[in-house]
Amino acid sequence: MSAIDYILARSLPLVPKPIVRRVSRRYIAGDGLREAVVAVRELNGEGLMATLDVLGESVTDRSLVEAAAREYGEALRSIIEARLDSNLSVKPTQFGLKIDFDLCLEKVRGLVRLAREAGTFVRLDMEDSSCTSPTLDLYRRLRAEDLASVGVVLQAYMRRSLKDVKDLPEGANVRLCKGIYIEPPEIAYRDRALVNKNFVHLLEALFDRGFYVGIATHDEELVWEAYRIIERRKLLPASYEFQMLLGVAEPLRGRILRDGHRLRVYVPFGSHWYAYSLRRLKENPRIAGYILSSLFRGRLS
Ligand code: FDA
């Protein structure tokens, strides 16, 4: 982390809450499900798919696990009723991964079954490295129960990810991203060039195993690498998708769509937007940099 990044990240809590709100509005659909439905409908109208994320993570109280399961159930009902082209992304710690593995399994299983009945899908987001093995176990358990309507995430900065590709069950559905948490160098690559190189290796390894891949990046270099791999392997658009975060790299998003690829936008929403924004920003000072520079460039309205 550079000194400037460090200062930017630490000064964010001093930015008045309404300003954080205005800046993060671009990246978060709103406080409630209603706003999220409007955002997804708009994206669908532009030919983009979506994945809904009810903000919240690291739950330490069982009653909050119930609340998260309820909120996700409501989000799923809205997807069905409004006929949205969207699936769900969940953080296992929001479903109690850090309290009780079996409780988490039971709650995520319930949601995945409902999603399967509705013809949609649940992605298990990947959190910090303390969650990697339990999240992959959770995924394997659900797949072993023949629940194909569930997918997982691998992070290109993790040194273990290539081995994780080998250990995934047949027919896995994997989102590949760089990884957003700050991890020690013993377990994670820090150098951007190395992370990018590993991203490409992992993408090849995932396609080698015949998996469906969500290519989650806004990095043009990686998008063009992915194009090259897709073309060389003559992959059909139905065997992969690109994925991006709401409000990020919209011109590139349009370009990918026009080039004939499918693209899904990650749409976070919910009352925990402030804690979420600050945590994300502190975890990744580069993003703090984007936020503060947009502040100075006057892109707040
Ligand atoms: P990089 O960080 O190099 O960014 C490339 C360019 O994109 C930047 O130069 C900038 O212009 C722009 N950009 C990137 N992020 C931005 C932002 N937030 N705001 C404004 N501009 C931005 N991570 C994780 O650990 N677990 C997970 O489950 C997920 N899930 C996930 C889903 C989806 C759909 C996406 C797109 C990303 C994730 N991530 C994630 C986050 C991911 O690991 C990574 O931190 C970010 O995507 C940024 O990495 P890029 O590949 O975009 O490259």
Side-chain angles (χ1 to χ4, degrees):
M1 188 189 306
S2 77
I4 289 179
D5 281 345
Y6 184 83
I7 293 163
L8 284 174
R10 294 299 158 230
S11 37
L12 270 160
L14 304 176
V15 176
K17 198 169 170 181
I19 292 183
V20 175
R21 178 78 183 110
R22 280 163 73 194
V23 179
S24 57
R25 206 163 42 200
R26 183 186 170 91
Y27 306 102
I28 294 168
D31 289 345
L33 186 51
R34 200 150 11 118
E35 287 109 315
V37 168
V38 171
V40 172
R41 201 174 275 134
E42 238 169 68
L43 292 165
N44 287 172
E46 293 170 34
L48 297 154
M49 306 177 287
T51 185
L52 277 178
D53 167 46
V54 184
L55 288 173
E57 57 199 280
S58 270
V59 162
T60 49
D61 181 330
R62 285 170 182 262
S63 67
L64 294 176
V65 175
E66 297 292 343
R70 245 191 337 269
E71 282 184 278
Y72 267 99
E74 283 162 19
L76 185 58
R77 262 191 299 284
S78 291
I79 290 174
I80 300 163
E81 281 165 19
R83 297 168 182 267
L84 301 176
D85 187 350
S86 180
N87 60 33
L88 298 168
S89 287
V90 307
K91 299 218 164 24
T93 61
Q94 200 178 352
F95 278 69
L97 187 74
K98 295 230 162 157
I99 308 175
D100 175 352
F101 182 86
D102 289 331
L103 170 73
C104 181
L105 177 62
E106 180 200 321
K107 293 296 168 193
V108 176
R109 180 195 285 127
L111 185 67
V112 174
R113 283 191 177 148
L114 287 176
R116 182 179 59 183
E117 280 161 28
T120 184
F121 177 87
V122 177
R123 170 86 53 197
L124 306 177
D125 283 347
M126 188 57 82
E127 300 171 80
D128 67 67
S129 57
S130 69
C131 300
T132 311
S133 292
T135 300
L136 290 170
D137 286 347
L138 190 63
Y139 181 61
R140 275 187 282 266
R141 289 284 292 273
L142 293 166
R143 288 294 312 224
E145 294 173 21
D146 205 22
L147 288 177
S149 310
V150 62
V152 75
V153 177
L154 289 180
Q155 296 152 320
Y157 66 9
M158 291 295 282
R159 294 178 191 270
R160 58 178 282 173
S161 289
L162 198 55
K163 170 144 192 335
D164 288 332
V165 173
K166 293 182 181 135
D167 294 342
L168 282 172
E170 289 305 318
N173 184 319
V174 182
R175 172 194 298 151
L176 178 61
C177 67
K178 287 189 184 180
I180 201 165
Y181 302 87
I182 303 288
E183 301 290 356
E186 299 76 45
I187 60 167
Y189 303 111
R190 293 253 180 103
D191 180 73
R192 182 174 182 273
L194 273 180
V195 174
N196 279 19
K197 216 168 173 174
N198 201 37
F199 192 108
V200 175
H201 274 312
L202 289 165
L203 190 55
E204 296 270 18
L206 290 164
F207 284 137
D208 280 346
R209 289 211 56 197
F211 295 162
Y212 183 92
V213 188
I215 308 164
T217 184
H218 320 92
D219 186 334
E220 285 209 46
E221 187 185 319
L222 291 179
V223 169
W224 309 145
E225 280 292 337
Y227 271 26
R228 193 181 52 75
I229 293 170
I230 289 163
E231 211 171 295
R232 181 165 46 75
R233 290 175 179 259
K234 300 189 174 38
L235 294 173
L236 297 173
S239 54
Y240 64 90
E241 65 189 45
F242 285 90
Q243 298 186 350
M244 292 194 177
L245 301 173
L246 185 68
V248 178
E250 286 167 2
L252 179 60
R253 189 168 96 179
R255 175 97 190 259
I256 293 173
L257 208 61
R258 283 193 299 280
D259 286 341
H261 305 280
R262 296 181 317 139
L263 199 148
R264 187 178 304 277
V265 179
Y266 189 100
V267 180
F269 75 97
S271 56
H272 295 294
W273 66 267
Y274 183 68
Y276 171 86
S277 305
L278 282 194
R279 204 162 33 239
R280 281 286 90 77
L281 299 169
K282 275 196 230 156
E283 272 158 5
N284 192 341
R286 287 185 62 202
I287 297 181
Y290 304 141
I291 300 282
L292 287 179
S293 62
S294 68
L295 195 70
F296 295 124
R297 284 200 306 268
R299 279 174 33 204
L300 287 178
S301 52

